[in-house]
Amino acid sequence: MKGHFYIATMGCQMNENDTDTLAQFLINYGYNPVESHEDADLILINTCTVREKARQKAVSLLGRMIALKKRRPDIILGIMGCVAQQEGPMLLKKYPELDLVLGTREIGNITGILNRIEENGERVVATDLSADNAIPVIHDGYFKGRLKGYISIMEGCNNFCSYCIVPYVRGREKSFSPQYILAQAENLISQGIMEITLLGQNVNSYLSSEGNSVNFPKLIRMISPLKGLYRIRFTTSHPKDLSDELIKCFRDINNLCPHIHLPFQSGSNRVLKMMNRVYTKETYIGLINKLRDARPDIAVTSDVIVGFPGETDNDFMMTIDLMEKIEFDNLFSFVYSDRKGTSAEKMDNKISDEIKLSRLNKLQGLQKEITLKKNKMLEGKEEEILVEGLSKKMDQFTGRTPGNKIVNFTSNKNIIGQLVKIKIERSSINSLQGILINN
Ligand code: SAH
Ligand code: SF4
Ligand code: F3S
């Protein structure tokens, strides 16, 4: 046994997936996972830098771990994820306590790297972005006890939206082979996973050209018949690559959940152009109409940025107008944040914090009303819930609808891991309250 490891994870599902992959490597290499950094001999911080706030969170945790390392110099301390990729060797220079900077495509090399640190006391920076990160399932049983799993079907991004740092920290798009993805899915299902989310920055542009070329809709059709797979989800989609063929999947495929996360970012065509998003408000609305025709109960969630450089009151009103027209089930809203090296960073007419925050408040107020209205529409309806565990207050069971809404309800039997029918009785902004109708 090598000792104990702890990985602190921030950022998106891609990072969570990377943490799980790395953890499996570490277990195979001889380390054991622990629940707290206090008990660990190897501590890794998996970081996000999509907005400045995310980066600050990472740096502040790093500071606390460095303080710990000063007390216990025997600890191996590493940083991974998107801050590590972006800042690379600078981090080792700045923080003498840091042993390792592990880039986003270096996860598969972790054991060799750790060996160098353990044996020779080296300090290592590994941030090659050209590597291929597809890694086969390596630790059978790691996911036992979980009901929901994810598979990274592609990595990287080619879109270079002008505000976004992801293409710089995740490299160019690379799709993994359908064979690899199917093997991952079968392995997860064999460990008890009932719901799989297919992950990528832009899953719609998935394309494997090995042998017969397979695009994203074809991939879904290959995976959906797998026995024991009750639910499929995917994230994230880019509107420019949302094809009719994919929309048709929502009509045809039973276990494809009726939910799409389709970030729109802005309702102003002028701003969308500056963002390099290559669609208009009108084409976006057209896509949502097609999706709702194909699957009337589809839940639509989205991301939006307020205060992009040059955004006028009128541009902002276009965003509000789009929100009113679409009525998203849920919306993740962010104030624009400059990211180093992006083209938006170099744009003029930056918006003041004051205006950004006042726009954000207005937008979030409106979305609260819409979310509540959408949730109220479910009252009296029956929904199928995958029971995931106990609610936050631990007094009820909790699970999600196919549209990904949280439902709490009581049951005198333990029904975790079952698909049950629930009648929705009451709804609030964050969750629904229901009663069990069959068991
Ligand atoms: N690949 C996904 C999203 C990646 S980042 C996609 O293309 O939709 C998640 C969200 O963070 C984005 O949708 C965007 O709304 C937000 N975001 C990205 N960069 C940002 C920045 N510089 N400032 C504020 N929000 C940002
Ligand atoms: Fe960023 Fe745009 Fe790529 Fe999404 S599609 S990761 S927002 S560059
Ligand atoms: Fe953040 Fe990297 Fe994901 S920047 S959002 S962790 S791809």
Side-chain angles (χ1 to χ4, degrees):
M1 222 259 297
K2 292 257 179 198
H4 296 103
F5 75 93
Y6 177 79
I7 309 176
T9 309
M10 303 165 204
C12 64
Q13 283 176 309
M14 247 72 72
N15 264 14
E16 284 171 34
N17 186 49
D18 287 346
T19 288
D20 282 331
T21 306
L22 194 82
Q24 292 172 74
F25 270 105
L26 293 176
I27 292 166
N28 274 18
Y29 183 55
Y31 277 92
N32 276 337
V34 285
E35 297 287 322
S36 160
H37 64 267
E38 297 284 348
D39 305 321
D41 310 291
L42 166 63
I43 299 174
L44 289 163
I45 308 173
N46 194 358
T47 57
C48 172
T49 186
V50 75
R51 287 170 293 276
E52 185 53 28
K53 260 201 193 140
R55 183 184 171 275
Q56 278 164 6
K57 207 170 134 195
V59 171
S60 118
L61 184 62
L62 179 62
R64 273 181 279 149
M65 293 306 133
I66 282 172
L68 178 72
K69 169 128 186 179
K70 283 185 177 149
R71 280 188 280 124
R72 283 188 47 201
D74 56 301
I75 289 175
I76 297 178
L77 179 61
I79 184 165
M80 59 188 280
C82 297
V83 174
Q85 184 64 50
Q86 172 82 349
E87 301 179 30
M90 268 183 26
L91 290 166
L92 272 204
K93 245 188 240 154
K94 193 161 173 202
Y95 303 104
E97 294 79 11
L98 207 50
D99 300 295
L100 168 64
V101 178
L102 188 71
T104 52
R105 293 207 185 178
E106 294 276 5
I107 288 168
N109 300 324
I110 185 67
T111 51
I113 291 170
L114 272 181
N115 194 263
R116 282 160 57 196
I117 298 172
E118 291 161 348
E119 299 297 318
N120 317 329
E122 278 180 57
R123 302 176 70 220
V124 180
V125 182
T127 49
D128 182 2
L129 258 190
S130 60
D132 176 350
N133 223 358
I135 299 157
V137 175
I138 45 169
H139 186 82
D140 259 348
Y142 177 83
F143 293 98
K144 281 243 161 71
R146 291 199 211 178
L147 299 167
K148 303 201 288 188
Y150 24 50
I151 302 171
S152 172
I153 63 164
M154 62 180 305
E155 57 188 2
C157 182
N158 293 347
N159 292 325
F160 290 94
C161 302
S162 62
Y163 51 81
C164 185
I165 201 159
V166 170
Y168 303 91
V169 290
R170 291 275 167 173
R172 291 295 71 69
E173 279 179 15
K174 161 104 180 89
S175 296
F176 302 136
S177 75
Q179 292 72 25
Y180 160 81
I181 295 162
L182 276 168
Q184 294 279 327
E186 278 167 356
N187 186 288
L188 288 175
I189 294 165
S190 76
Q191 297 187 50
I193 296 284
M194 298 170 77
E195 173 182 312
I196 290 178
T197 302
L198 305 175
L199 288 183
Q201 292 299 347
N202 179 15
V203 287
N204 303 166
S205 69
Y206 174 88
L207 188 63
S208 166
S209 39
E210 285 168 37
N212 289 337
S213 108
V214 175
N215 63 11
F216 186 53
K218 288 211 179 74
L219 181 72
I220 297 179
R221 287 179 194 276
M222 288 168 83
I223 294 169
S224 61
L226 289 179
K227 214 169 162 272
L229 180 56
Y230 296 91
R231 288 179 164 188
I232 306 174
R233 300 182 188 278
F234 59 82
T235 195
T236 300
S237 303
H238 193 302
K240 79 175 167 57
D241 300 309
L242 184 69
S243 63
D244 289 346
E245 196 186 348
L246 181 58
I247 293 173
K248 200 164 172 293
C249 289
F250 281 108
R251 197 191 293 269
D252 300 344
I253 301 174
N254 252 330
N255 56 356
L256 179 62
C257 288
H259 171 215
I260 188 160
H261 183 66
L262 193 66
F264 73 93
Q265 313 299 2
S266 169
S268 155
N269 289 340
R270 204 180 68 83
V271 173
L272 284 170
K273 200 160 186 199
M274 290 193 288
M275 287 176 161
N276 192 27
R277 289 290 287 184
V278 298
Y279 54 84
T280 61
K281 178 186 183 186
E282 292 72 28
T283 52
Y284 186 88
I285 293 173
L287 287 172
I288 302 295
N289 289 341
K290 275 194 201 171
L291 282 160
R292 287 177 170 160
D293 280 346
R295 190 93 169 236
D297 61 339
I298 195 164
V300 182
T301 59
S302 195
D303 293 345
V304 61
I305 297 174
V306 296
F308 185 82
E311 184 188 69
T312 62
D313 281 338
N314 189 50
D315 292 320
F316 176 64
M317 287 319 293
M318 296 298 194
T319 292
I320 295 287
D321 182 59
L322 181 64
M323 287 168 62
E324 283 170 341
K325 289 210 163 83
I326 303 281
E327 301 195 312
F328 295 101
D329 289 83
N330 206 353
L331 181 62
F332 301 90
S333 44
F334 309 104
V335 291
Y336 169 79
S337 160
D338 263 339
R339 305 318 292 136
K340 233 181 224 130
T342 60
S343 60
E345 188 206 7
K346 296 166 201 92
M347 289 179 186
D348 300 327
N349 301 321
K350 295 283 161 63
I351 308 297
S352 72
D353 286 348
E354 199 189 332
I355 294 179
K356 280 197 264 195
L357 284 179
S358 103
R359 286 181 185 164
L360 186 73
N361 281 336
K362 179 156 185 218
L363 181 153
Q364 288 181 340
L366 171 63
Q367 184 55 42
K368 269 190 187 158
E369 286 171 25
I370 296 173
T371 302
L372 190 60
K373 177 177 160 192
K374 286 269 166 183
N375 288 352
K376 290 262 177 231
M377 280 161 65
L378 291 176
E379 287 178 3
K381 296 240 161 76
E382 278 178 25
E383 289 276 338
E384 186 184 71
I385 310 295
L386 173 58
V387 188
E388 293 171 20
L390 293 177
S391 65
K392 271 194 196 140
K393 288 189 200 142
M394 307 292 276
D395 56 345
Q396 285 190 309
F397 287 93
T398 190
R400 284 185 187 250
T401 66
N404 215 28
K405 299 189 185 204
I406 297 171
V407 180
N408 299 321
F409 59 95
T410 49
S411 158
N412 27 24
K413 267 193 274 170
N414 180 353
I415 48 171
I416 294 172
Q418 290 182 27
L419 283 161
V420 296
K421 277 256 154 41
I422 300 282
K423 187 169 177 196
I424 306 302
E425 297 229 293
R426 268 179 295 118
S427 37
S428 63
I429 288 178
N430 298 318
S431 65
L432 311 171
Q433 181 68 41
I435 47 168
L436 191 59
I437 40 184
N438 77 344
N439 198 348

